[in-house]
Amino acid sequence: MMKNVAKIATCLILAFTVGGQVYAVDGGNPKKGKHLYKKECKACHSKGDAAGELTPMSKTMSQWDRFFKRDMHGAQPDVFKKLSDKERLDIQQFLYDHAADSDQPQTCG
Ligand code: HEC
């Protein structure tokens, strides 16, 4: 009897730990990110704009991660500075989820 209880408890703890890790990797809210991307990025990055058209498929998943961690929109740093950390994470999540080498590549926001 005690053995079974311990087994069940271990399973529950494992399930929560694994679930928690997945959440920690993802983090951002891609739905909000899509909305923010349209609002904050498309203004300069639509077809025919000087900054160049940009879609989630413009980069691979690792290129997006690098862009958000290292580059931080180096071409015009103010663009990223006016966004909160959460907003940047949401946008990063949306672009990452639909990157060129993702499961669901997407050409337009
Ligand atoms: C005020 C205008 C403006 C806004 C808003 C803007 N950008 Fe940009 N972005 C630029 C300019 C200008 C460049 C440099 C283009 C070049 O190098 O020819 C650039 C470059 C980039 C690049 C590099 C392009 C490449 O080929 O590597 C990425 C990625 C990018 N922006 C992403 C974003 C994202 C994501 C957002 C929304 C959070 C955003 N931009 C919002 C003006 C803007």
Side-chain angles (χ1 to χ4, degrees):
M1 182 58 188
M2 280 307 287
K3 244 185 175 170
N4 271 339
V5 170
K7 234 186 191 168
I8 290 164
T10 310
C11 286
L12 282 177
I13 289 163
L14 272 179
F16 279 120
T17 313
V18 172
Q21 274 167 356
V22 170
Y23 186 70
V25 171
D26 288 340
N29 180 331
K31 264 198 183 147
K32 280 190 186 153
K34 181 174 182 169
H35 175 75
L36 284 165
Y37 166 75
K38 281 185 172 167
K39 197 169 127 221
E40 304 290 345
C41 314
K42 288 301 241 180
C44 293
H45 286 289
S46 294
K47 226 183 197 130
D49 283 332
E53 191 188 14
L54 195 75
T55 73
M57 267 186 74
S58 301
K59 294 190 182 296
T60 62
M61 293 185 281
S62 65
Q63 282 173 329
W64 279 125
D65 274 352
R66 215 174 306 142
F67 180 77
F68 278 85
K69 276 183 202 137
R70 301 235 184 97
D71 188 274
M72 301 277 289
H73 207 277
Q76 239 161 309
D78 287 351
V79 171
F80 266 32
K81 273 189 206 135
K82 78 178 183 97
L83 298 170
S84 70
D85 289 349
K86 180 75 179 83
E87 288 173 327
R88 275 200 303 272
L89 190 64
D90 290 346
I91 296 172
Q92 178 180 6
Q93 190 72 59
F94 164 67
L95 294 170
Y96 181 95
D97 284 356
H98 301 289
D101 60 343
S102 69
D103 290 341
Q104 307 156 281
Q106 195 167 303
T107 51
C108 60

